[in-house]
Amino acid sequence: MSKELSYSDVSEHTSKKDLYMVIHDKIYDASSFVDEHPGGEEVMLDVAGQDATEAFEDVGHSDEAREILNGLLIGTLQRKDGDPKPNVGGGSLASSAPKPGAVQSQGMGMTLYAVLLVGGALAFFAYQYLNAKA
């Protein structure tokens, strides 16, 4: 049976034995899964009684994890004015932009690797050239 609960109702369930969370405006009772969660109970307790959409999606859960989640579904969230809004990328250009330092640092790492590789090759050939002349 599907319930419709407010954010205030969900926020009352924050303990290990009574843990609700919201993901994509659906409410899940994760109490029975806390001990089994591969990331540990601390991860679950950090989002207990809250909208965990961003945390859930940022990790990139598997299809199996999503199936387990479906088994924990107990209802839907009835949003009211003043409730925290989920912070999930994909809607606007600003939210789909890369986070500062994420892609840029990877690109910089590849550039640095390429420079070191080319520099090493040049040093090797210069060493070979100088040894051949001597």
Side-chain angles (χ1 to χ4, degrees):
M1 179 181 284
S2 184
K3 303 180 202 177
E4 191 169 284
L5 300 172
S6 69
Y7 194 84
S8 176
D9 295 330
V10 173
S11 67
E12 295 173 6
H13 302 269
T14 59
S15 70
K16 182 177 174 180
K17 303 258 187 242
D18 181 29
L19 193 152
Y20 285 11
M21 65 178 62
V22 176
I23 300 174
H24 295 295
D25 286 349
K26 293 181 181 175
I27 302 169
Y28 299 92
D29 182 352
S31 309
S32 63
F33 188 69
V34 173
D35 290 328
E36 299 173 36
H37 189 263
E41 68 181 52
E42 297 83 21
V43 174
M44 301 281 284
L45 291 170
D46 283 346
V47 293
Q50 302 174 38
D51 192 319
T53 304
E54 182 178 19
F56 183 82
E57 293 300 343
D58 281 353
V59 172
H61 283 88
S62 66
D63 291 339
E64 182 183 356
R66 293 175 189 278
E67 286 178 30
I68 292 169
L69 190 65
N70 285 336
L72 304 175
L73 180 65
I74 60 165
T76 57
L77 182 66
Q78 178 187 24
R79 286 204 179 266
K80 297 179 181 175
D81 290 340
D83 285 351
K85 301 256 190 259
N87 186 11
V88 182
S92 69
L93 225 53
S95 64
S96 63
K99 293 179 183 175
V103 173
Q104 291 82 354
S105 65
Q106 181 184 14
M108 184 59 166
M110 291 299 290
T111 303
L112 181 60
Y113 179 73
V115 167
L116 289 174
L117 185 63
V118 170
L122 287 173
F124 173 76
F125 290 119
Y127 176 76
Q128 293 294 337
Y129 177 76
L130 291 173
N131 276 342
K133 280 194 143 194

